[in-house]
Amino acid sequence: MVSSKFLAFASAAAAAASLALGSPVPLPAGFHLSVRDGTPYNASLPNVTIFATGGTIAGSASSSDQTTGYQAGALGVDILIAAVPQLWNVSNVRGVQVANVGSESITPAILLNLTQQIQAELDSPYCQGVVVTHGTDTLEESAFFLDLTVRSEKPVVVVGAMRPATAISADGPINLLEAVTLAADPGARGRGAMIVLNDRVAGAFYTTKSNANSLDTFRSAEQGFLGFFINIKPKFYFAPSLPLGRPYFDVTGATSLPEVDILFGHQALNPALASAAVASGAKGLVLAGMGAGGWTDAGSEAIEAVIENNGTAVVYSRRSMDGYVEPTGSVGYGGGFLNPQKARIMLQLALYAGYETAQMKTIFEFDS
Ligand SMILES: *[C@@H]1O[C@H](CO)[C@@H](O)[C@H](O)[C@H]1NC(C)=O
Ligand SMILES: *[C@@H]1O[C@H](CO)[C@@H](O)[C@H](O)[C@H]1NC(C)=O
Ligand SMILES: *[C@@H]1O[C@H](CO)[C@@H](O)[C@H](O)[C@H]1NC(C)=O
Ligand SMILES: *[C@@H]1O[C@H](CO)[C@@H](O)[C@H](O)[C@H]1NC(C)=O
Ligand SMILES: *[C@@H]1O[C@H](CO)[C@@H](O)[C@H](O)[C@H]1NC(C)=O
């Protein structure tokens, strides 16, 4: 059974598709906007570009009560925009389809293409902010990547949904409206990349997905949120600021990144996985260590061997939800406050940039 909500999306999409044929613009009742390049346009409003990558926010299930096991990335960006006519009261929006996949399938190539397109867009004086729609499972990795690779004061807002577009009480439409409202808000400038779900504004640097199923999944327990939405309008708790030690990496023209693998720490872990990862192409390893980066004796010997023999860069992180990891010995780097998946993104970028030991230390072991 296909829900009526999905049918509404589909008919809006069909109307949007007919634009190319010169048909009337599918604006909701009460709007009298002029049309530019085939889309409605209000000269009094800012311009926000929406880059769509797929995920649950673009997901479609066979019934309105299905909230797992659906197809992520089924709906195109035009359908997402058409489903939220309130957007046109906030901003002029333009959709760019970068990918349409579940977020487990986001690759370095997609991330590089995305950040290069965003940089070009934000470099234009005619764009005030961007929104990225993304699956939530690896959303924190892409948001962190954009935080480190986009150089602009303008807002970069990454948004997802925990329920597919076809679900009863789908959260995608309000999340998208809040994300565009945030991207269009001058008060959102200078805060780095941000994540919007469940009425919260979160900083991309520290925020992580904490629950596989619930709507209030994005959290940073120690560092907290940047703000909250009241009647869809962002209210900030603090003036704009950026995390200490946050570096910038220029990836202009890059088409790939060095491979970095994550090894998970546990009792009786298999020491052979370190050299196996290196043999299959890893230039760096991140260890999700026990406690503050702890690793077994046999495992540590294997880690020291790949550092010494193969020049592998190793970052010690932690499998615990939160904490700070200092270097455990004379080799490798402590991951500081970064969780393993964020330390991996940071290490990929640092290896790409050709960082030497001293620079590596400044990004992972920064002092406040
Ligand atoms: C354009 O946006 C302004 C500011 O929000 C609003 O006052 C005006 O009514 C809008 N114009 C149209 C034609 O919708
Ligand atoms: C847009 O704003 C106008 C004026 O506040 C309001 O009457 C209208 O209902 C809004 N449209 C949508 C779709 O929210
Ligand atoms: C991103 O990928 C699209 C589609 O393949 C391509 O048209 C575009 O030129 C790419 N942009 C950048 C900046 O690499
Ligand atoms: C929005 O984009 C249009 C071009 O489509 C441009 O003419 C206009 O100046 C832009 N508005 C702002 C506030 O930058
Ligand atoms: C890593 O170093 C070992 C010991 O020197 C060597 O046998 C192995 O081929 C190296 N692996 C790679 C991928 O270079």
Side-chain angles (χ1 to χ4, degrees):
M1 193 199 84
V2 178
S3 81
S4 58
K5 181 129 199 173
F6 178 63
L7 290 177
F9 287 6
S11 66
S18 69
L19 280 179
L21 303 173
S23 312
V25 173
L27 268 184
F31 286 77
H32 306 283
L33 300 175
S34 61
V35 176
R36 274 202 187 191
D37 302 331
T39 53
Y41 176 74
N42 180 338
S44 308
L45 294 178
N47 298 329
V48 169
T49 306
I50 302 174
F51 294 91
T53 71
T56 294
I57 192 167
S60 174
S62 57
S63 71
S64 62
D65 55 4
Q66 188 185 353
T67 57
T68 62
Y70 50 84
Q71 187 192 349
L75 310 176
V77 64
D78 290 345
I79 301 183
L80 301 187
I81 292 172
V84 191
Q86 293 87 344
L87 290 174
W88 298 109
N89 265 355
V90 174
S91 169
N92 300 305
V93 291
R94 186 172 77 85
V96 178
Q97 195 80 50
V98 177
N100 209 353
V101 296
S103 68
E104 72 286 350
S105 301
I106 297 285
T107 61
I110 294 173
L111 288 181
L112 289 165
N113 182 287
L114 177 65
T115 195
Q116 288 160 10
Q117 290 200 65
I118 288 174
Q119 188 66 58
E121 195 73 358
L122 294 181
D123 286 344
S124 159
Y126 303 117
C127 175
Q128 280 68 49
V130 302
V131 167
V132 177
T133 63
H134 199 289
T136 58
D137 289 349
T138 71
L139 186 148
E140 67 186 90
E141 290 162 66
S142 297
F144 185 66
F145 179 85
L146 295 175
D147 199 39
L148 302 183
T149 58
V150 174
R151 183 174 256 171
S152 177
E153 291 277 292
K154 295 175 185 174
V156 174
V157 182
V158 188
V159 64
M162 290 301 289
R163 294 181 182 145
T166 45
I168 186 169
S169 294
D171 52 335
I174 189 170
N175 290 351
L176 182 62
L177 181 58
E178 290 181 340
V180 169
T181 306
L182 182 67
D185 191 321
R189 294 169 62 102
R191 298 174 183 271
M194 291 165 281
I195 296 172
V196 165
L197 258 93
N198 201 43
D199 286 334
R200 267 45 173 232
V201 185
F205 198 87
Y206 287 119
T207 301
T208 189
K209 186 173 184 180
S210 67
N211 185 296
N213 312 99
S214 71
L215 266 66
D216 59 345
T217 178
F218 282 93
R219 290 175 182 277
S220 58
E222 292 293 323
Q223 296 83 10
F225 292 108
L226 305 182
F228 197 93
F229 289 89
I230 307 289
N231 275 337
I232 318 286
K233 298 281 181 295
K235 299 279 184 193
F236 291 103
Y237 300 129
F238 315 103
S241 73
L242 295 169
L244 291 166
R246 170 179 170 272
Y248 163 73
F249 296 97
D250 184 350
V251 292
T252 312
T255 53
S256 66
L257 293 174
E259 183 182 328
V260 171
D261 293 334
I262 299 174
L263 301 181
F264 197 88
H266 54 86
Q267 295 174 354
L269 62 85
N270 181 354
L273 294 182
S275 57
V278 171
S280 82
K283 302 290 181 256
L285 293 175
V286 172
L287 309 183
M290 295 159 277
W295 214 243
T296 65
D297 288 348
S300 295
E301 273 179 40
I303 294 297
E304 282 164 30
V306 295
I307 293 174
E308 208 160 291
N309 301 333
N310 306 105
T312 309
V314 176
V315 174
Y316 289 84
S317 181
R318 32 76 186 174
R319 69 176 202 183
S320 313
M321 172 96 181
D322 270 308
Y324 184 86
V325 178
E326 292 186 301
T328 49
S330 56
V331 294
Y333 309 99
F337 288 114
L338 298 181
N339 68 21
Q341 56 272 35
K342 289 188 175 186
R344 173 180 165 273
I345 296 281
M346 183 79 97
L347 184 55
Q348 279 189 297
L349 287 166
L351 289 170
Y352 169 77
Y355 274 22
E356 303 292 344
T357 304
Q359 284 171 297
M360 288 279 198
K361 282 188 182 297
T362 64
I363 52 171
F364 286 110
E365 301 160 19
F366 61 87
D367 290 315
S368 48

